[in-house]
mmCIF file of all heavy atoms in Angstrom:
data_model
loop_
_atom_site.group_PDB
_atom_site.id
_atom_site.type_symbol
_atom_site.label_atom_id
_atom_site.label_comp_id
_atom_site.label_asym_id
_atom_site.label_seq_id
_atom_site.Cartn_x
_atom_site.Cartn_y
_atom_site.Cartn_z
ATOM 1 N N MET A 1 17.253 24.905 17.260
ATOM 2 C CA MET A 1 17.140 26.294 16.859
ATOM 3 C C MET A 1 18.235 26.591 15.841
ATOM 4 O O MET A 1 19.378 26.173 16.015
ATOM 5 C CB MET A 1 17.284 27.192 18.090
ATOM 6 C CG MET A 1 17.305 28.661 17.747
ATOM 7 S SD MET A 1 17.535 29.768 19.158
ATOM 8 C CE MET A 1 16.430 29.120 20.357
ATOM 9 N N ILE A 2 17.885 27.317 14.835
ATOM 10 C CA ILE A 2 18.865 27.726 13.819
ATOM 11 C C ILE A 2 19.503 29.033 14.274
ATOM 12 O O ILE A 2 18.806 29.982 14.626
ATOM 13 C CB ILE A 2 18.197 27.914 12.447
ATOM 14 C CG1 ILE A 2 17.632 26.571 11.975
ATOM 15 C CG2 ILE A 2 19.186 28.495 11.442
ATOM 16 C CD1 ILE A 2 16.820 26.666 10.711
ATOM 17 N N ARG A 3 20.838 29.036 14.304
ATOM 18 C CA ARG A 3 21.576 30.253 14.638
ATOM 19 C C ARG A 3 22.240 30.785 13.378
ATOM 20 O O ARG A 3 22.715 30.024 12.548
ATOM 21 C CB ARG A 3 22.634 29.954 15.701
ATOM 22 C CG ARG A 3 22.060 29.575 17.043
ATOM 23 C CD ARG A 3 23.153 29.472 18.110
ATOM 24 N NE ARG A 3 24.267 28.628 17.721
ATOM 25 C CZ ARG A 3 24.356 27.334 18.012
ATOM 26 N NH1 ARG A 3 23.396 26.724 18.669
ATOM 27 N NH2 ARG A 3 25.411 26.649 17.645
ATOM 28 N N ASP A 4 22.283 32.097 13.272
ATOM 29 C CA ASP A 4 22.959 32.752 12.151
ATOM 30 C C ASP A 4 24.373 33.129 12.570
ATOM 31 O O ASP A 4 24.581 33.649 13.675
ATOM 32 C CB ASP A 4 22.200 34.009 11.721
ATOM 33 C CG ASP A 4 20.829 33.686 11.168
ATOM 34 O OD1 ASP A 4 20.723 32.745 10.361
ATOM 35 O OD2 ASP A 4 19.862 34.363 11.557
ATOM 36 N N HIS A 5 25.327 32.878 11.693
ATOM 37 C CA HIS A 5 26.716 33.281 11.936
ATOM 38 C C HIS A 5 26.779 34.805 12.018
ATOM 39 O O HIS A 5 26.111 35.503 11.260
ATOM 40 C CB HIS A 5 27.622 32.780 10.808
ATOM 41 C CG HIS A 5 29.032 33.217 10.967
ATOM 42 N ND1 HIS A 5 29.892 32.631 11.877
ATOM 43 C CD2 HIS A 5 29.722 34.204 10.375
ATOM 44 C CE1 HIS A 5 31.058 33.252 11.811
ATOM 45 N NE2 HIS A 5 30.977 34.199 10.905
ATOM 46 N N ARG A 12 29.941 33.866 17.989
ATOM 47 C CA ARG A 12 30.056 33.150 16.717
ATOM 48 C C ARG A 12 28.716 33.074 15.989
ATOM 49 O O ARG A 12 28.653 33.242 14.778
ATOM 50 C CB ARG A 12 30.593 31.744 16.959
ATOM 51 C CG ARG A 12 30.788 30.966 15.664
ATOM 52 C CD ARG A 12 31.396 29.603 15.912
ATOM 53 N NE ARG A 12 32.781 29.789 16.374
ATOM 54 C CZ ARG A 12 33.426 28.902 17.113
ATOM 55 N NH1 ARG A 12 32.850 27.785 17.494
ATOM 56 N NH2 ARG A 12 34.666 29.125 17.473
ATOM 57 N N SER A 13 27.636 32.798 16.732
ATOM 58 C CA SER A 13 26.323 32.695 16.097
ATOM 59 C C SER A 13 25.236 33.040 17.100
ATOM 60 O O SER A 13 25.423 32.916 18.313
ATOM 61 C CB SER A 13 26.095 31.300 15.511
ATOM 62 O OG SER A 13 26.117 30.318 16.530
ATOM 63 N N VAL A 14 24.083 33.468 16.551
ATOM 64 C CA VAL A 14 22.965 33.925 17.373
ATOM 65 C C VAL A 14 21.669 33.436 16.747
ATOM 66 O O VAL A 14 21.493 33.522 15.533
ATOM 67 C CB VAL A 14 22.949 35.474 17.450
ATOM 68 C CG1 VAL A 14 21.739 35.969 18.210
ATOM 69 C CG2 VAL A 14 24.225 36.013 18.072
ATOM 70 N N GLY A 15 20.769 32.939 17.588
ATOM 71 C CA GLY A 15 19.449 32.535 17.126
ATOM 72 C C GLY A 15 18.395 32.939 18.131
ATOM 73 O O GLY A 15 18.693 33.175 19.305
ATOM 74 N N HIS A 16 17.142 33.024 17.679
ATOM 75 C CA HIS A 16 16.046 33.413 18.574
ATOM 76 C C HIS A 16 14.805 32.628 18.220
ATOM 77 O O HIS A 16 14.442 32.524 17.048
ATOM 78 C CB HIS A 16 15.779 34.919 18.449
ATOM 79 C CG HIS A 16 14.791 35.424 19.443
ATOM 80 N ND1 HIS A 16 13.478 35.652 19.124
ATOM 81 C CD2 HIS A 16 14.924 35.741 20.752
ATOM 82 C CE1 HIS A 16 12.843 36.094 20.204
ATOM 83 N NE2 HIS A 16 13.703 36.158 21.208
ATOM 84 N N GLU A 24 19.547 32.167 21.809
ATOM 85 C CA GLU A 24 20.655 31.216 21.903
ATOM 86 C C GLU A 24 21.890 31.857 21.295
ATOM 87 O O GLU A 24 21.840 32.347 20.171
ATOM 88 C CB GLU A 24 20.290 29.924 21.168
ATOM 89 C CG GLU A 24 21.260 28.805 21.424
ATOM 90 C CD GLU A 24 20.759 27.494 20.859
ATOM 91 O OE1 GLU A 24 21.050 27.221 19.679
ATOM 92 O OE2 GLU A 24 20.063 26.756 21.581
ATOM 93 N N ILE A 25 22.966 31.848 22.051
ATOM 94 C CA ILE A 25 24.215 32.472 21.611
ATOM 95 C C ILE A 25 25.346 31.459 21.695
ATOM 96 O O ILE A 25 25.541 30.823 22.734
ATOM 97 C CB ILE A 25 24.573 33.703 22.458
ATOM 98 C CG1 ILE A 25 23.483 34.772 22.325
ATOM 99 C CG2 ILE A 25 25.936 34.263 22.060
ATOM 100 C CD1 ILE A 25 23.723 36.000 23.179
ATOM 101 N N GLU A 26 26.076 31.322 20.608
ATOM 102 C CA GLU A 26 27.303 30.529 20.605
ATOM 103 C C GLU A 26 28.470 31.507 20.642
ATOM 104 O O GLU A 26 28.555 32.423 19.819
ATOM 105 C CB GLU A 26 27.405 29.673 19.346
ATOM 106 C CG GLU A 26 28.683 28.875 19.296
ATOM 107 C CD GLU A 26 28.880 28.141 17.985
ATOM 108 O OE1 GLU A 26 28.169 28.442 17.006
ATOM 109 O OE2 GLU A 26 29.766 27.277 17.933
ATOM 110 N N VAL A 32 27.690 27.337 24.209
ATOM 111 C CA VAL A 32 26.378 27.785 23.760
ATOM 112 C C VAL A 32 25.511 28.030 24.993
ATOM 113 O O VAL A 32 25.398 27.173 25.870
ATOM 114 C CB VAL A 32 25.702 26.740 22.840
ATOM 115 C CG1 VAL A 32 24.300 27.181 22.457
ATOM 116 C CG2 VAL A 32 26.561 26.500 21.600
ATOM 117 N N TYR A 33 24.907 29.212 25.047
ATOM 118 C CA TYR A 33 24.037 29.584 26.157
ATOM 119 C C TYR A 33 22.654 29.922 25.623
ATOM 120 O O TYR A 33 22.528 30.537 24.570
ATOM 121 C CB TYR A 33 24.604 30.793 26.898
ATOM 122 C CG TYR A 33 25.820 30.486 27.718
ATOM 123 C CD1 TYR A 33 27.075 30.405 27.127
ATOM 124 C CD2 TYR A 33 25.722 30.274 29.088
ATOM 125 C CE1 TYR A 33 28.203 30.119 27.875
ATOM 126 C CE2 TYR A 33 26.847 29.991 29.856
ATOM 127 C CZ TYR A 33 28.077 29.917 29.238
ATOM 128 O OH TYR A 33 29.198 29.636 29.985
#
Side-chain angles (χ1 to χ4, degrees):
M1 175 182 314
I2 297 174
R3 293 188 309 267
D4 295 315
H5 177 76
R12 182 177 292 155
S13 62
V14 176
H16 187 260
E24 191 171 89
I25 298 177
E26 178 187 14
V32 176
Y33 288 81

